[in-house]
PDB file of all heavy atoms in Angstrom:
ATOM      1  N   CYS A   1       0.826  -1.214   0.000  1.00 92.00           N
ATOM      2  CA  CYS A   1       0.000   0.000   0.000  1.00 92.00           C
ATOM      3  C   CYS A   1       0.857   1.259   0.000  1.00 92.00           C
ATOM      4  O   CYS A   1       0.505   2.257  -0.634  1.00 92.00           O
ATOM      5  CB  CYS A   1      -0.939  -0.004   1.203  1.00 92.00           C
ATOM      6  SG  CYS A   1      -2.283  -1.211   1.101  1.00 92.00           S
ATOM      7  N   ALA A   2       1.982   1.216   0.707  1.00 92.00           N
ATOM      8  CA  ALA A   2       2.882   2.370   0.727  1.00 92.00           C
ATOM      9  C   ALA A   2       3.461   2.625  -0.658  1.00 92.00           C
ATOM     10  O   ALA A   2       3.566   3.777  -1.107  1.00 92.00           O
ATOM     11  CB  ALA A   2       4.003   2.148   1.738  1.00 92.00           C
ATOM     12  N   LEU A   3       3.816   1.556  -1.363  1.00 92.00           N
ATOM     13  CA  LEU A   3       4.398   1.701  -2.698  1.00 92.00           C
ATOM     14  C   LEU A   3       3.351   2.082  -3.739  1.00 92.00           C
ATOM     15  O   LEU A   3       3.672   2.747  -4.735  1.00 92.00           O
ATOM     16  CB  LEU A   3       5.092   0.397  -3.105  1.00 92.00           C
ATOM     17  CG  LEU A   3       6.291  -0.027  -2.246  1.00 92.00           C
ATOM     18  CD1 LEU A   3       6.818  -1.381  -2.687  1.00 92.00           C
ATOM     19  CD2 LEU A   3       7.403   1.027  -2.324  1.00 92.00           C
ATOM     20  N   LEU A   4       2.102   1.655  -3.521  1.00 90.00           N
ATOM     21  CA  LEU A   4       1.034   1.916  -4.488  1.00 90.00           C
ATOM     22  C   LEU A   4       0.248   3.184  -4.183  1.00 90.00           C
ATOM     23  O   LEU A   4      -0.669   3.533  -4.920  1.00 90.00           O
ATOM     24  CB  LEU A   4       0.067   0.722  -4.529  1.00 90.00           C
ATOM     25  CG  LEU A   4       0.656  -0.593  -5.021  1.00 90.00           C
ATOM     26  CD1 LEU A   4      -0.359  -1.713  -4.892  1.00 90.00           C
ATOM     27  CD2 LEU A   4       1.126  -0.458  -6.481  1.00 90.00           C
ATOM     28  N   ASP A   5       0.607   3.855  -3.085  1.00 87.00           N
ATOM     29  CA  ASP A   5      -0.098   5.083  -2.718  1.00 87.00           C
ATOM     30  C   ASP A   5       0.039   6.113  -3.838  1.00 87.00           C
ATOM     31  O   ASP A   5       1.137   6.402  -4.304  1.00 87.00           O
ATOM     32  CB  ASP A   5       0.475   5.652  -1.422  1.00 87.00           C
ATOM     33  CG  ASP A   5      -0.304   6.852  -0.939  1.00 87.00           C
ATOM     34  OD1 ASP A   5      -1.486   6.697  -0.597  1.00 87.00           O
ATOM     35  OD2 ASP A   5       0.274   7.973  -0.928  1.00 87.00           O
ATOM     36  N   GLY A   6      -1.081   6.628  -4.280  1.00 83.00           N
ATOM     37  CA  GLY A   6      -1.090   7.573  -5.396  1.00 83.00           C
ATOM     38  C   GLY A   6      -1.448   6.917  -6.713  1.00 83.00           C
ATOM     39  O   GLY A   6      -1.922   7.605  -7.630  1.00 83.00           O
ATOM     40  N   LEU A   7      -1.209   5.620  -6.838  1.00 87.00           N
ATOM     41  CA  LEU A   7      -1.570   4.899  -8.053  1.00 87.00           C
ATOM     42  C   LEU A   7      -2.993   4.371  -7.998  1.00 87.00           C
ATOM     43  O   LEU A   7      -3.614   4.142  -9.041  1.00 87.00           O
ATOM     44  CB  LEU A   7      -0.599   3.737  -8.290  1.00 87.00           C
ATOM     45  CG  LEU A   7       0.877   4.116  -8.481  1.00 87.00           C
ATOM     46  CD1 LEU A   7       1.731   2.865  -8.647  1.00 87.00           C
ATOM     47  CD2 LEU A   7       1.042   5.038  -9.685  1.00 87.00           C
ATOM     48  N   PHE A   8      -3.485   4.136  -6.782  1.00 87.00           N
ATOM     49  CA  PHE A   8      -4.856   3.677  -6.570  1.00 87.00           C
ATOM     50  C   PHE A   8      -5.548   4.626  -5.598  1.00 87.00           C
ATOM     51  O   PHE A   8      -4.883   5.275  -4.788  1.00 87.00           O
ATOM     52  CB  PHE A   8      -4.871   2.248  -6.004  1.00 87.00           C
ATOM     53  CG  PHE A   8      -4.397   1.195  -6.963  1.00 87.00           C
ATOM     54  CD1 PHE A   8      -3.050   0.851  -7.036  1.00 87.00           C
ATOM     55  CD2 PHE A   8      -5.294   0.557  -7.801  1.00 87.00           C
ATOM     56  CE1 PHE A   8      -2.618  -0.116  -7.919  1.00 87.00           C
ATOM     57  CE2 PHE A   8      -4.873  -0.418  -8.686  1.00 87.00           C
ATOM     58  CZ  PHE A   8      -3.532  -0.750  -8.748  1.00 87.00           C
ATOM     59  N   PRO A   9      -6.867   4.706  -5.664  1.00 85.00           N
ATOM     60  CA  PRO A   9      -7.594   5.571  -4.719  1.00 85.00           C
ATOM     61  C   PRO A   9      -7.286   5.177  -3.275  1.00 85.00           C
ATOM     62  O   PRO A   9      -7.144   3.996  -2.951  1.00 85.00           O
ATOM     63  CB  PRO A   9      -9.068   5.323  -5.063  1.00 85.00           C
ATOM     64  CG  PRO A   9      -9.051   4.848  -6.483  1.00 85.00           C
ATOM     65  CD  PRO A   9      -7.780   4.070  -6.636  1.00 85.00           C
ATOM     66  N   ALA A  10      -7.183   6.181  -2.408  1.00 84.00           N
ATOM     67  CA  ALA A  10      -6.869   5.927  -1.003  1.00 84.00           C
ATOM     68  C   ALA A  10      -7.910   5.037  -0.352  1.00 84.00           C
ATOM     69  O   ALA A  10      -7.587   4.211   0.518  1.00 84.00           O
ATOM     70  CB  ALA A  10      -6.752   7.246  -0.249  1.00 84.00           C
ATOM     71  N   GLU A  11      -9.179   5.178  -0.783  1.00 82.00           N
ATOM     72  CA  GLU A  11     -10.245   4.351  -0.193  1.00 82.00           C
ATOM     73  C   GLU A  11     -10.032   2.873  -0.510  1.00 82.00           C
ATOM     74  O   GLU A  11     -10.272   2.007   0.326  1.00 82.00           O
ATOM     75  CB  GLU A  11     -11.613   4.801  -0.708  1.00 82.00           C
ATOM     76  CG  GLU A  11     -12.018   6.201  -0.281  1.00 82.00           C
ATOM     77  CD  GLU A  11     -11.419   7.276  -1.174  1.00 82.00           C
ATOM     78  OE1 GLU A  11     -10.652   6.911  -2.110  1.00 82.00           O
ATOM     79  OE2 GLU A  11     -11.690   8.471  -0.945  1.00 82.00           O
ATOM     80  N   VAL A  12      -9.610   2.584  -1.742  1.00 83.00           N
ATOM     81  CA  VAL A  12      -9.375   1.191  -2.153  1.00 83.00           C
ATOM     82  C   VAL A  12      -8.227   0.588  -1.348  1.00 83.00           C
ATOM     83  O   VAL A  12      -8.319  -0.535  -0.844  1.00 83.00           O
ATOM     84  CB  VAL A  12      -9.083   1.115  -3.660  1.00 83.00           C
ATOM     85  CG1 VAL A  12      -8.678  -0.304  -4.062  1.00 83.00           C
ATOM     86  CG2 VAL A  12     -10.293   1.569  -4.457  1.00 83.00           C
ATOM     87  N   LEU A  13      -7.129   1.340  -1.229  1.00 88.00           N
ATOM     88  CA  LEU A  13      -5.990   0.843  -0.460  1.00 88.00           C
ATOM     89  C   LEU A  13      -6.364   0.658   1.008  1.00 88.00           C
ATOM     90  O   LEU A  13      -5.966  -0.327   1.645  1.00 88.00           O
ATOM     91  CB  LEU A  13      -4.808   1.814  -0.591  1.00 88.00           C
ATOM     92  CG  LEU A  13      -4.170   1.930  -1.975  1.00 88.00           C
ATOM     93  CD1 LEU A  13      -3.049   2.948  -1.947  1.00 88.00           C
ATOM     94  CD2 LEU A  13      -3.651   0.581  -2.449  1.00 88.00           C
ATOM     95  N   GLY A  14      -7.140   1.603   1.538  1.00 87.00           N
ATOM     96  CA  GLY A  14      -7.545   1.509   2.938  1.00 87.00           C
ATOM     97  C   GLY A  14      -8.403   0.286   3.212  1.00 87.00           C
ATOM     98  O   GLY A  14      -8.178  -0.439   4.190  1.00 87.00           O
ATOM     99  N   MET A  15      -9.399   0.047   2.348  1.00 84.00           N
ATOM    100  CA  MET A  15     -10.258  -1.111   2.528  1.00 84.00           C
ATOM    101  C   MET A  15      -9.486  -2.411   2.357  1.00 84.00           C
ATOM    102  O   MET A  15      -9.706  -3.390   3.072  1.00 84.00           O
ATOM    103  CB  MET A  15     -11.423  -1.059   1.536  1.00 84.00           C
ATOM    104  CG  MET A  15     -12.469   0.004   1.845  1.00 84.00           C
ATOM    105  SD  MET A  15     -13.334  -0.305   3.405  1.00 84.00           S
ATOM    106  CE  MET A  15     -14.248  -1.793   3.006  1.00 84.00           C
ATOM    107  N   THR A  16      -8.545  -2.440   1.409  1.00 88.00           N
ATOM    108  CA  THR A  16      -7.728  -3.635   1.182  1.00 88.00           C
ATOM    109  C   THR A  16      -6.882  -3.956   2.397  1.00 88.00           C
ATOM    110  O   THR A  16      -6.844  -5.104   2.869  1.00 88.00           O
ATOM    111  CB  THR A  16      -6.835  -3.442  -0.048  1.00 88.00           C
ATOM    112  OG1 THR A  16      -7.642  -3.182  -1.204  1.00 88.00           O
ATOM    113  CG2 THR A  16      -5.982  -4.678  -0.296  1.00 88.00           C
ATOM    114  N   TRP A  17      -6.201  -2.927   2.924  1.00 91.00           N
ATOM    115  CA  TRP A  17      -5.344  -3.160   4.090  1.00 91.00           C
ATOM    116  C   TRP A  17      -6.168  -3.577   5.308  1.00 91.00           C
ATOM    117  O   TRP A  17      -5.783  -4.484   6.046  1.00 91.00           O
ATOM    118  CB  TRP A  17      -4.536  -1.901   4.409  1.00 91.00           C
ATOM    119  CG  TRP A  17      -3.532  -2.149   5.511  1.00 91.00           C
ATOM    120  CD1 TRP A  17      -2.277  -2.663   5.377  1.00 91.00           C
ATOM    121  CD2 TRP A  17      -3.742  -1.940   6.916  1.00 91.00           C
ATOM    122  NE1 TRP A  17      -1.678  -2.780   6.600  1.00 91.00           N
ATOM    123  CE2 TRP A  17      -2.556  -2.339   7.571  1.00 91.00           C
ATOM    124  CE3 TRP A  17      -4.801  -1.440   7.664  1.00 91.00           C
ATOM    125  CZ2 TRP A  17      -2.412  -2.256   8.946  1.00 91.00           C
ATOM    126  CZ3 TRP A  17      -4.661  -1.363   9.038  1.00 91.00           C
ATOM    127  CH2 TRP A  17      -3.474  -1.765   9.678  1.00 91.00           C
ATOM    128  N   MET A  18      -7.315  -2.954   5.502  1.00 88.00           N
ATOM    129  CA  MET A  18      -8.162  -3.302   6.635  1.00 88.00           C
ATOM    130  C   MET A  18      -8.670  -4.746   6.518  1.00 88.00           C
ATOM    131  O   MET A  18      -8.784  -5.464   7.510  1.00 88.00           O
ATOM    132  CB  MET A  18      -9.342  -2.341   6.733  1.00 88.00           C
ATOM    133  CG  MET A  18      -8.991  -0.964   7.255  1.00 88.00           C
ATOM    134  SD  MET A  18      -8.333  -0.990   8.938  1.00 88.00           S
ATOM    135  CE  MET A  18      -9.746  -1.641   9.844  1.00 88.00           C
ATOM    136  N   GLY A  19      -8.960  -5.182   5.284  1.00 88.00           N
ATOM    137  CA  GLY A  19      -9.402  -6.559   5.082  1.00 88.00           C
ATOM    138  C   GLY A  19      -8.310  -7.554   5.449  1.00 88.00           C
ATOM    139  O   GLY A  19      -8.575  -8.578   6.101  1.00 88.00           O
ATOM    140  N   ILE A  20      -7.077  -7.258   5.036  1.00 91.00           N
ATOM    141  CA  ILE A  20      -5.950  -8.134   5.375  1.00 91.00           C
ATOM    142  C   ILE A  20      -5.727  -8.155   6.883  1.00 91.00           C
ATOM    143  O   ILE A  20      -5.511  -9.206   7.491  1.00 91.00           O
ATOM    144  CB  ILE A  20      -4.673  -7.662   4.644  1.00 91.00           C
ATOM    145  CG1 ILE A  20      -4.851  -7.786   3.132  1.00 91.00           C
ATOM    146  CG2 ILE A  20      -3.464  -8.467   5.110  1.00 91.00           C
ATOM    147  CD1 ILE A  20      -3.710  -7.192   2.333  1.00 91.00           C
ATOM    148  N   PHE A  21      -5.800  -6.981   7.497  1.00 92.00           N
ATOM    149  CA  PHE A  21      -5.589  -6.876   8.942  1.00 92.00           C
ATOM    150  C   PHE A  21      -6.660  -7.653   9.706  1.00 92.00           C
ATOM    151  O   PHE A  21      -6.361  -8.362  10.677  1.00 92.00           O
ATOM    152  CB  PHE A  21      -5.605  -5.402   9.345  1.00 92.00           C
ATOM    153  CG  PHE A  21      -5.373  -5.162  10.808  1.00 92.00           C
ATOM    154  CD1 PHE A  21      -4.208  -5.591  11.423  1.00 92.00           C
ATOM    155  CD2 PHE A  21      -6.314  -4.482  11.567  1.00 92.00           C
ATOM    156  CE1 PHE A  21      -3.986  -5.369  12.779  1.00 92.00           C
ATOM    157  CE2 PHE A  21      -6.108  -4.254  12.918  1.00 92.00           C
ATOM    158  CZ  PHE A  21      -4.945  -4.696  13.524  1.00 92.00           C
ATOM    159  N   LEU A  22      -7.906  -7.560   9.267  1.00 89.00           N
ATOM    160  CA  LEU A  22      -8.996  -8.291   9.909  1.00 89.00           C
ATOM    161  C   LEU A  22      -8.788  -9.798   9.781  1.00 89.00           C
ATOM    162  O   LEU A  22      -9.012 -10.558  10.735  1.00 89.00           O
ATOM    163  CB  LEU A  22     -10.336  -7.887   9.297  1.00 89.00           C
ATOM    164  CG  LEU A  22     -11.576  -8.613   9.826  1.00 89.00           C
ATOM    165  CD1 LEU A  22     -11.743  -8.352  11.321  1.00 89.00           C
ATOM    166  CD2 LEU A  22     -12.826  -8.159   9.068  1.00 89.00           C
ATOM    167  N   PHE A  23      -8.362 -10.241   8.609  1.00 87.00           N
ATOM    168  CA  PHE A  23      -8.093 -11.666   8.403  1.00 87.00           C
ATOM    169  C   PHE A  23      -6.994 -12.150   9.341  1.00 87.00           C
ATOM    170  O   PHE A  23      -7.096 -13.227   9.943  1.00 87.00           O
ATOM    171  CB  PHE A  23      -7.691 -11.909   6.951  1.00 87.00           C
ATOM    172  CG  PHE A  23      -7.304 -13.332   6.655  1.00 87.00           C
ATOM    173  CD1 PHE A  23      -8.275 -14.309   6.506  1.00 87.00           C
ATOM    174  CD2 PHE A  23      -5.974 -13.689   6.525  1.00 87.00           C
ATOM    175  CE1 PHE A  23      -7.929 -15.626   6.245  1.00 87.00           C
ATOM    176  CE2 PHE A  23      -5.609 -14.997   6.259  1.00 87.00           C
ATOM    177  CZ  PHE A  23      -6.595 -15.969   6.114  1.00 87.00           C
ATOM    178  N   ASN A  24      -5.941 -11.349   9.487  1.00 89.00           N
ATOM    179  CA  ASN A  24      -4.859 -11.720  10.395  1.00 89.00           C
ATOM    180  C   ASN A  24      -5.321 -11.784  11.847  1.00 89.00           C
ATOM    181  O   ASN A  24      -4.932 -12.676  12.599  1.00 89.00           O
ATOM    182  CB  ASN A  24      -3.706 -10.721  10.276  1.00 89.00           C
ATOM    183  CG  ASN A  24      -2.643 -11.155   9.294  1.00 89.00           C
ATOM    184  OD1 ASN A  24      -1.750 -10.380   8.966  1.00 89.00           O
ATOM    185  ND2 ASN A  24      -2.721 -12.374   8.807  1.00 89.00           N
ATOM    186  N   LEU A  25      -6.153 -10.841  12.252  1.00 88.00           N
ATOM    187  CA  LEU A  25      -6.682 -10.862  13.617  1.00 88.00           C
ATOM    188  C   LEU A  25      -7.493 -12.127  13.870  1.00 88.00           C
ATOM    189  O   LEU A  25      -7.378 -12.751  14.931  1.00 88.00           O
ATOM    190  CB  LEU A  25      -7.547  -9.625  13.861  1.00 88.00           C
ATOM    191  CG  LEU A  25      -6.820  -8.293  14.066  1.00 88.00           C
ATOM    192  CD1 LEU A  25      -7.836  -7.175  14.257  1.00 88.00           C
ATOM    193  CD2 LEU A  25      -5.884  -8.360  15.272  1.00 88.00           C
ATOM    194  N   ALA A  26      -8.306 -12.504  12.904  1.00 83.00           N
ATOM    195  CA  ALA A  26      -9.101 -13.731  13.044  1.00 83.00           C
ATOM    196  C   ALA A  26      -8.200 -14.955  13.121  1.00 83.00           C
ATOM    197  O   ALA A  26      -8.478 -15.900  13.869  1.00 83.00           O
ATOM    198  CB  ALA A  26     -10.074 -13.855  11.877  1.00 83.00           C
ATOM    199  N   THR A  27      -7.092 -14.939  12.374  1.00 82.00           N
ATOM    200  CA  THR A  27      -6.176 -16.075  12.352  1.00 82.00           C
ATOM    201  C   THR A  27      -5.575 -16.339  13.722  1.00 82.00           C
ATOM    202  O   THR A  27      -5.470 -17.498  14.156  1.00 82.00           O
ATOM    203  CB  THR A  27      -5.052 -15.829  11.332  1.00 82.00           C
ATOM    204  OG1 THR A  27      -5.624 -15.649  10.036  1.00 82.00           O
ATOM    205  CG2 THR A  27      -4.073 -16.996  11.299  1.00 82.00           C
ATOM    206  N   ILE A  28      -5.162 -15.286  14.422  1.00 82.00           N
ATOM    207  CA  ILE A  28      -4.507 -15.480  15.708  1.00 82.00           C
ATOM    208  C   ILE A  28      -5.496 -15.526  16.869  1.00 82.00           C
ATOM    209  O   ILE A  28      -5.129 -15.886  17.982  1.00 82.00           O
ATOM    210  CB  ILE A  28      -3.453 -14.388  15.974  1.00 82.00           C
ATOM    211  CG1 ILE A  28      -4.126 -13.027  16.186  1.00 82.00           C
ATOM    212  CG2 ILE A  28      -2.426 -14.341  14.860  1.00 82.00           C
ATOM    213  CD1 ILE A  28      -3.174 -11.978  16.709  1.00 82.00           C
ATOM    214  N   SER A  29      -6.741 -15.149  16.631  1.00 79.00           N
ATOM    215  CA  SER A  29      -7.732 -15.110  17.707  1.00 79.00           C
ATOM    216  C   SER A  29      -8.420 -16.451  17.925  1.00 79.00           C
ATOM    217  O   SER A  29      -8.872 -16.751  19.035  1.00 79.00           O
ATOM    218  CB  SER A  29      -8.801 -14.044  17.425  1.00 79.00           C
ATOM    219  OG  SER A  29      -8.223 -12.756  17.355  1.00 79.00           O
TER     220      SER A  29
END
């Protein structure tokens, strides 16, 4: 997301990162 910032809408990157983060939280929980 840091490297792609500016190439994709901030909302798309934000939702993508949040989805990955949520998946990781579920994995360890």
Side-chain angles (χ1 to χ4, degrees):
C1 289
L3 296 176
L4 296 175
D5 185 65
L7 299 178
F8 292 89
E11 295 83 358
V12 173
L13 293 179
M15 288 295 293
T16 301
W17 186 85
M18 286 298 297
I20 296 173
F21 181 59
L22 178 61
F23 176 77
N24 266 171
L25 285 179
T27 300
I28 68 169
S29 298

